[in-house]
Amino acid sequence: MPLADVDTPALILDLDAFEGNLAHMSDAVRGRPVRLRPHAKSHKCAEIALRQVAAGAVGVCCQKVGEAEVLVAGGVEDVLIANEIVGEDKLARLAALARKAKLAVCADAAENVAGLDAAAARAGVRLDVFVEVNVGADRCGVEPGAPALALARTIAVCEHLRFAGLQAYHGGAQHLRSVAERRGAIGRAVGMVQATRTLIERSGIACATVTGAGTGSFPLELASGAYDELQPGSYIFMDADYNRNEFDATWPRFEQSLFVWTTVMSRPAPARAVVDAGLKASSVDSGMPQVWKLPGVDYVNASDEHGVLSIAADARAPDLGAKLLLVPGHCDPTVNLYDWYVCVRRGVVEALWPVSARGALR
């Protein structure tokens, strides 16, 4: 069916742009001693994860046990839960899943390590565990240096765990607007990573993998020589927030592929229109959506079911009933609002892909 006949609101994936983004990332790492492990929390879709693996990724990351369960059930064979998992029920599910796929997880506390070891023992598996290091985001993670070494030693002596390396993701750097700011933040993170890895290896513990990086900074981690795996996620989609970052012409250029399809449901005034995509259709935590390729028409306010557009006097105003594409402010939580991707190529619907891990919050 033509895109024009798709009812709204709907989550639209432009397949040409999406496939181009996959290829750009594969080209960026080809021939380099770095593996690609994209973050599936962005898309929550086994179909997309399998396409990333087919394009050269070794596996994927996710954030929750529930996401990992869905991805493994969908055929993904290698998953890193790039997060701490705490609680007896979640740990039991995590260990059980390790019987079905190659699985790894992060830790930043000795108590968590003990829980992981006990769960793995009960399940009869051996879990790979990364020490998460705080490299500047000030979220999860032990401090670099001696604290990270102490936790690596704790993991290394556990019978049912294997110390896998360091998780070193600087989430706060991804949306620093200028290239110089991002370069400085990642430069500091790289210094912490290199010093910590050296300390661990000099103590006699192999540190096989440093994993991290995101869409806003991965060329810096790639060039540093300090990272063995890269975890960008949003590059397949992009969003209004990432599109506000200053672009470095030497980096891959990713296209906007993810959109919210919406209808103008009211034209109450010449300078105002209302669309049927509000807070339940697009996340605004990183700013309002942007109206795609309609200069002078701006999405300025959202309520539960309504999005208000401001129309400049010299703009081409959309008619009542017109359908528009919106660029989400933040792709990840917007995806979690939908059951399906409507996959479109040159204005024609080609496929529906389920957002199979939607709502997998535990």
Side-chain angles (χ1 to χ4, degrees):
M1 65 189 299
L3 172 60
D5 290 348
V6 174
D7 204 359
T8 62
L11 189 66
I12 305 298
L13 184 62
D14 182 317
L15 288 173
D16 285 337
F18 165 76
E19 290 166 1
N21 291 343
L22 285 180
H24 293 330
M25 184 60 77
S26 295
D27 291 345
V29 301
R30 185 174 292 112
R32 307 290 290 271
V34 175
R35 301 179 295 275
L36 181 61
R37 184 181 291 280
H39 217 309
K41 75 178 178 67
S42 298
H43 57 72
K44 288 177 165 282
C45 176
E47 177 68 32
I48 292 178
L50 293 174
R51 287 169 185 261
Q52 289 175 314
V53 172
V58 295
V60 298
C61 301
C62 64
Q63 289 292 90
K64 302 297 180 75
V65 177
E67 288 178 337
E69 288 168 333
V70 170
L71 293 167
V72 170
V76 181
E77 298 178 347
D78 190 334
V79 179
L80 164 61
I81 301 177
N83 202 0
E84 286 68 28
I85 302 301
V86 175
E88 187 172 336
D89 178 67
K90 291 185 179 69
L91 291 172
R93 288 163 51 209
L94 172 71
L97 193 61
R99 299 195 195 105
K100 301 177 182 179
K102 186 176 186 294
L103 203 68
V105 69
C106 296
D108 65 1
E111 300 94 322
N112 189 198
V113 170
L116 288 165
D117 191 42
R122 287 191 292 270
V125 298
R126 196 172 186 204
L127 280 172
D128 283 350
V129 181
F130 286 83
V131 169
E132 182 162 10
V133 180
N134 177 20
V135 291
D138 293 333
R139 194 169 59 183
C140 297
V142 296
E143 293 305 302
L149 170 59
L151 194 57
R153 283 173 168 159
T154 299
I155 295 166
V157 299
C158 289
E159 182 179 355
H160 301 281
L161 305 180
R162 182 186 300 108
F163 173 62
L166 302 177
Q167 161 79 5
Y169 172 63
H170 193 340
Q174 303 312 307
H175 300 282
L176 294 174
R177 295 303 177 212
S178 75
V179 172
E181 286 177 300
R182 277 174 273 151
R183 195 178 300 279
I186 298 304
R188 291 186 290 275
V190 166
M192 298 177 198
V193 164
Q194 290 173 325
T196 302
R197 188 177 208 170
T198 298
L199 185 65
I200 290 171
E201 290 180 337
R202 284 179 178 172
S203 78
I205 300 173
C207 186
T209 298
V210 173
T211 184
T215 295
S217 69
F218 79 90
L220 301 171
E221 285 95 343
L222 176 63
S224 72
Y227 284 72
D228 306 286
E229 284 187 351
L230 304 179
Q231 301 176 0
S234 301
Y235 73 95
I236 57 170
F237 294 149
M238 302 307 287
D239 57 30
D241 197 34
Y242 266 118
N243 293 339
R244 284 190 283 268
N245 280 3
E246 179 187 0
F247 178 67
D248 186 318
T250 65
W251 295 5
R253 185 67 154 178
F254 300 111
E255 297 181 67
Q256 185 64 46
S257 70
L258 188 77
F259 302 91
V260 172
W261 190 226
T262 188
T263 298
V264 177
M265 58 184 288
S266 176
R267 282 299 318 275
R272 187 168 77 252
V274 182
V275 295
D276 63 355
L279 296 172
K280 295 178 182 177
S282 186
S283 174
V284 301
D285 64 294
S286 295
M288 295 296 168
Q290 294 175 335
V291 181
W292 182 246
K293 294 185 176 179
L294 202 58
V297 180
D298 298 308
Y299 192 115
V300 294
N301 193 22
S303 53
D304 286 357
E305 311 293 351
H306 303 86
V308 178
L309 307 184
S310 173
I311 304 169
D314 58 349
R316 181 169 59 86
D319 295 329
L320 183 68
K323 292 180 178 178
L324 311 175
L325 290 170
L326 303 177
V327 177
H330 188 181
C331 55
D332 299 18
T334 296
V335 164
N336 196 52
L337 299 171
Y338 290 86
D339 293 319
W340 299 91
Y341 295 97
V342 180
C343 304
V344 175
R345 196 184 304 275
R346 302 180 191 100
V348 178
V349 177
E350 186 171 299
L352 295 175
W353 294 344
V355 184
S356 42
R358 178 190 181 188
L361 304 179
R362 296 190 300 252

